[in-house]
Amino acid sequence: MKSKAHLKSHPLHPILIPFPIAFFIGTLVSHMGGWLQDRDTWMNTAIWLNAAGIIGALLAAIPGIIDYLYTVPPKSSAKKRATQHGLINTTVLILFIFLFFYRRQYAPNHLLLSLGELIGVTLLMIAGWMGGTLVHRNQIGV
């Protein structure tokens, strides 16, 4: 099924998703590096990557929602999978928004931040697996 959110027949959602994935993983890596080496520059990088990941996720969600509403067939296994994919990604976005504001506190708990980022990245991988299944098995956005 051809994506309704496309540019010259190229689906937009798969074009945009690598950015929040890279930014959220970079948030985790930068935060861990800054925490373990006690480097403020790494911590600042984590803040900026977290913000970029949030913006990127919101931008990637727009064509994702359009495809969910207008491309994925109703009452299909793809619709159930797409719903789970969207809910997991929404959870990841909410988690990283919370972590963005939490890390701006005077003395955030770095263990809590790292655990939250690790959970977020793990959920992101699960959602990515589901998105890949939607494309390859269910032929959504092809």
Side-chain angles (χ1 to χ4, degrees), residues 2 4 65-73 79:
K2 190 172 182 167
K4 301 291 187 231
I65 291 168
I66 292 169
D67 284 344
Y68 177 78
L69 294 174
Y70 302 109
T71 304
V72 181
K79 193 66 153 190

Side-chain angles (χ1 to χ4, degrees), residues 7-86:
L7 181 65
K8 294 188 177 188
S9 77
H10 294 281
L12 293 175
H13 185 64
I15 292 171
L16 296 173
I17 58 153
F19 295 102
I21 292 170
F23 293 146
F24 287 149
I25 292 171
T27 300
L28 172 64
V29 171
S30 296
H31 176 244
M32 293 297 292
W35 180 32
L36 297 174
Q37 296 182 6
D38 197 25
R39 309 269 320 256
D40 286 339
T41 54
W42 285 65
M43 293 299 209
N44 288 332
T45 301
I47 291 170
W48 285 103
L49 286 171
N50 195 349
I54 292 166
I55 293 166
L58 290 170
L59 291 174
I62 295 167
I65 291 168
I66 292 169
D67 284 344
Y68 177 78
L69 294 174
Y70 302 109
T71 304
V72 181
K75 298 182 182 176
S76 66
S77 64
K79 193 66 153 190
K80 181 179 177 185
R81 188 171 291 114
T83 301
Q84 292 171 337
H85 172 75

